[in-house]
């Protein structure tokens, strides 16, 4: 990904990654999600910033929580339903949500409307992070800046 010559850039100049990197059996519901890695494009190394667009009927991710990484989302357009262990909340433009590290309250965003919705997703890049997916035989270990999908017993996918 080429970094822009100047610090300011149009997010639409950042190539979109469609779908998720989940193993094939976990793709359903996120396969049309669009993510633009703004932080990487801008040359950031300590934290990531993504502009994520969720089409109608799709989700941001599988419900998950991180052991070492804080996450923050800010709704830019549309309406998304935040699902956590505490229940559901409707998020609209200007609203935000914070997910502190090592708090086992799994979260995801789902678009239950008829229009696309987008949000900024901000997270740090703490080495050694693990991601838990309650109710699924899935976990992620971050090793050398890359994620490795495994079953809960450590068997790779």
């Amino acid at each position: 990904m080429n970094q822009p010559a100047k610090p300011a850039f149009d997010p639409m100049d950042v190539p979109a990654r469609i779908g998720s990197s989940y193993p094939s059996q976990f793709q359903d519901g996120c396969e049309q999600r669009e993510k633009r890695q703004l932080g990487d494009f801008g040359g950031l190394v300590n934290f990531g910033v993504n502009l994520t667009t969720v089409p109608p009927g799709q989700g941001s991710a599988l419900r998950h929580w991180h052991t070492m990484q804080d996450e923050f989302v800010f709704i830019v357009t549309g309406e998304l339903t935040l699902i956590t262990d505490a229940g559901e909340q409707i998020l609209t433009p200007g609203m935000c949500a914070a997910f502190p590290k090592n708090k086992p309250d799994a979260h995801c965003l789902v678009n239950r409307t008829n229009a696309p919705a987008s949000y900024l997703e901000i997270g740090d890049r703490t080495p050694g992070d693990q991601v838990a997916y309650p109710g699924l035989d899935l976990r992620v270990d971050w090793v050398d800046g890359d994620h490795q999908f495994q079953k809960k017993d450590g068997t790779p996918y």
Side-chain angles (χ1 to χ4, degrees), residues 35-117:
K35 193 171 283 211
R36 296 175 189 274
Q37 296 175 293
L38 306 182
D40 288 355
F41 189 78
L44 301 182
V45 294
N46 291 330
F47 63 95
V49 179
N50 298 316
L51 176 60
T52 302
T53 301
V54 182
Q58 291 281 294
S60 62
L62 299 170
R63 285 189 65 219
H64 69 284
W65 61 274
H66 293 262
T67 60
M68 306 280 294
Q69 177 179 301
D70 290 327
E71 279 187 277
F72 182 87
V73 299
F74 179 86
I75 308 303
V76 178
T77 64
E79 176 182 296
L80 292 164
T81 301
L82 171 63
I83 302 171
T84 67
D85 293 343
E88 297 185 1
Q89 285 180 273
I90 302 297
L91 303 182
T92 55
M95 293 180 76
C96 57
F99 309 103
K101 70 177 182 175
N102 210 27
K103 183 178 179 187
D105 184 4
H107 59 274
C108 70
L109 298 166
V110 176
N111 186 343
R112 294 182 176 153
T113 73
N114 293 321

